[in-house]
Amino acid sequence: MGMRVVSVLLPWLMATTPFATAAPGAPELWERYSWVVLAVVVAGLLQAALIVALLLERRRRLGAQRLNLSVLDSLPGAVAILDRDGAVLRASAPSAQREGLGALSTQRLVVPGRAYLQALQKLALSGELESTGVATLLDQVLSGRVEEGMVEFRGPRADTWFELRARRLELPGGGAVVTVVDATPRRRAELEARRARDERAHMERVAAVGELGASIAHELNQPLSAIRTNAETALRLLQRTPADLTLLREVLEDIVADDQRAGEIIRRTRALLKKDQGPFTSHDFNELVRQVAQLVGNDAQLRGATLTLQLADTPLPVNGDGVQLQQVVLNLIMNALDAVSPCPPGERQVWVRTQRTDGRVELAVEDTGVGLSPEAQKRLFEPFFTTKATGLGMGLSISRSILEVHQGRLQAEPRTDRGTRFRCSLPAA
Ligand code: ADP
């Protein structure tokens, strides 16, 4: 079949190509080498097609590469793609990197071909940043133990922070994508928010202690009058001859105990007025609640309310800022006492309960008070929402943010018969 096509095509080719006018003897050439000539022509055409295809493919690949690089450069911060050994395969443009590692000089930019971790370790050695967390994370991601992770580290200049994210590449050869962004603005905003919140919390505590002024004075009066009475007794005992030294010792011991009680009241009040935040330490939540209850006990009595404590039998260890946690308890109890004030005497009941449930410590403050109006139910935790003539409306919003910092929760619900139940919970230490 192929032979037949050639024997038909060849005379036609001879007639239509320059060979038709070639010198005598040319037809013999065609006849003798027609196969070779045809094979050469076909091979040439195939080669040309292959070259065009390769050129087109190269153009496509260069386009894709340019697109990849411009995507890399447009990402915020310094981005680097690492192979499985941590060597940099690609890195974003220096201008893009400077946005991420703004504090690091140009020589230290991430450059393809270099080992990523070593670059950071050099900086760590010169004391410019701490890289222990970074090294651990990169090691875990490159070895495939974790898919992705994030570490924050301090920058070379004071008050600068960086955030490094590493994500494993889903490729047979492994590797990772690493991004470093300047976290300083976020950290500063967080610190600023925290400072503002602590300041508000402090103002609220000062207001609460101010409100408790009469009650504190009353509570202080008790040990002070006891001290005076005991001191007078001691003087009288001294006038007797012989002086009853055993009795005298007992009276003096009472004086010391009362003095300690008075000192404790002052210490607790001063702690609430303190502005600086204490470090997070371990506390027995029962003990924190008991101290607050002692502080407001007199206030409750003066208002004709009954404050009943039902605390868990075992200690309830929690981690946090004791003063701030006490502020939450104080606020809930004071609100409950306010809520029962309009009730007839004998119906002003407030219960404070603690218990441990599922790894959390729970506090419930219940009252038989006026209850929550539909509007109050919706807006209770909004700053400046108050229904009280002299209220600031900050107590519950501050309490909630204090609990958030302690990974806690605060919610309110109406009691079945009357009044309100506030419940807060935080993780047990
Ligand atoms: P403030 O006590 O200064 O008003 P809070 O944020 O502590 O600020 O409380 C906001 C509002 O929530 C109160 O004004 C009151 O209307 C309502 N509220 C809080 N606790 C109770 C409660 N136990 N019973 C009824 N209403 C309450």
Side-chain angles (χ1 to χ4, degrees), residues 141-365:
V141 172
L142 289 174
S143 63
R145 267 174 285 150
V146 292
E147 276 304 301
E148 64 181 315
M150 192 268 280
V151 276
E152 231 173 60
F153 56 91
R154 273 178 177 279
R157 270 184 280 122
D159 287 341
T160 54
W161 287 274
F162 293 93
E163 181 187 293
L164 181 141
R165 282 175 188 278
R167 194 189 160 83
R168 211 173 115 74
L169 276 178
E170 295 296 332
L171 292 176
V177 186
V178 184
T179 317
V180 182
V181 288
D182 187 353
T184 311
R186 178 176 54 74
R187 283 292 288 253
R188 285 207 184 129
E190 276 172 12
L191 278 179
E192 202 42 57
R194 188 170 170 190
R195 210 169 294 144
R197 193 194 58 230
D198 289 348
E199 234 153 66
R200 278 192 303 147
H202 178 245
M203 267 167 50
E204 181 69 21
R205 285 203 299 276
V206 171
V209 171
E211 250 181 79
L212 280 175
S215 162
I216 293 170
H218 187 259
E219 208 184 322
L220 263 181
N221 224 10
Q222 286 178 342
L224 288 180
S225 356
I227 287 172
R228 189 188 170 98
T229 317
N230 278 327
E232 282 166 0
T233 313
L235 283 175
R236 272 200 304 276
L237 283 174
L238 278 177
Q239 279 162 6
R240 281 199 210 154
T241 40
D244 185 343
L245 289 183
T246 320
L247 196 57
L248 190 62
R249 168 179 276 272
E250 275 173 27
V251 170
L252 288 176
E253 275 169 1
D254 277 354
I255 291 180
V256 172
D258 280 325
D259 177 78
Q260 272 170 354
R261 218 174 106 202
E264 187 60 18
I265 296 166
I266 292 170
R267 195 190 59 75
R268 258 182 263 144
T269 314
R270 283 182 64 186
L272 278 173
L273 291 174
K274 213 172 57 171
K275 195 165 184 192
D276 297 335
Q277 300 314 301
F280 269 34
T281 44
S282 179
H283 300 275
D284 174 10
F285 195 65
N286 274 345
E287 193 46 40
L288 294 181
V289 174
R290 213 173 275 126
Q291 287 177 0
V292 174
Q294 268 171 15
L295 211 59
V296 292
N298 265 298
D299 195 48
Q301 250 178 26
L302 293 175
R303 295 170 185 232
T306 317
L307 182 67
T308 313
L309 286 194
Q310 294 175 340
L311 304 186
D313 300 334
T314 51
L316 300 174
V318 289
N319 260 332
D321 181 326
V323 170
Q324 289 206 345
L325 290 175
Q326 283 191 320
Q327 180 172 3
V328 174
V329 181
L330 178 67
N331 184 244
L332 294 180
I333 299 180
M334 296 282 276
N335 275 348
L337 290 174
D338 285 343
V340 296
S341 287
C343 300
E347 292 177 25
R348 299 173 191 158
Q349 300 272 356
V350 175
W351 295 272
V352 181
R353 301 193 171 100
T354 59
Q355 60 172 349
R356 190 182 182 139
T357 41
D358 300 334
R360 290 184 81 82
V361 167
E362 272 191 16
L363 164 81
V365 179

Side-chain angles (χ1 to χ4, degrees), residues 331 335 339 367 371-372 380 385-388 391-393 395-396 420 422:
N331 184 244
N335 275 348
D367 63 69
L372 299 169
L380 209 54
F385 171 76
T386 182
T387 53
K388 300 173 194 167
L392 283 174
L396 288 176
T420 317
F422 276 84

Side-chain angles (χ1 to χ4, degrees), residues 27-78:
E28 286 134 63
L29 187 78
W30 264 113
E31 271 151 30
R32 284 174 64 189
Y33 299 108
S34 57
W35 282 108
V36 179
V37 173
L38 255 176
V40 169
V41 169
V42 169
L45 284 173
L46 279 177
Q47 216 170 13
L50 198 65
I51 289 169
V52 170
L54 283 175
L55 281 174
L56 286 175
E57 173 62 17
R58 188 166 172 265
R59 225 173 104 171
R60 200 185 59 77
R61 249 203 262 160
L62 281 176
Q65 232 168 43
R66 260 199 298 272
L67 183 71
N68 280 349
L69 285 177
S70 55
V71 169
L72 212 64
D73 293 347
S74 69
L75 294 173

Side-chain angles (χ1 to χ4, degrees), residues 1-13 34-35 38:
M1 169 74 184
M3 278 302 290
R4 224 181 303 145
V5 173
V6 172
S7 58
V8 173
L9 272 179
L10 211 55
W12 172 80
L13 249 174
S34 57
W35 282 108
L38 255 176

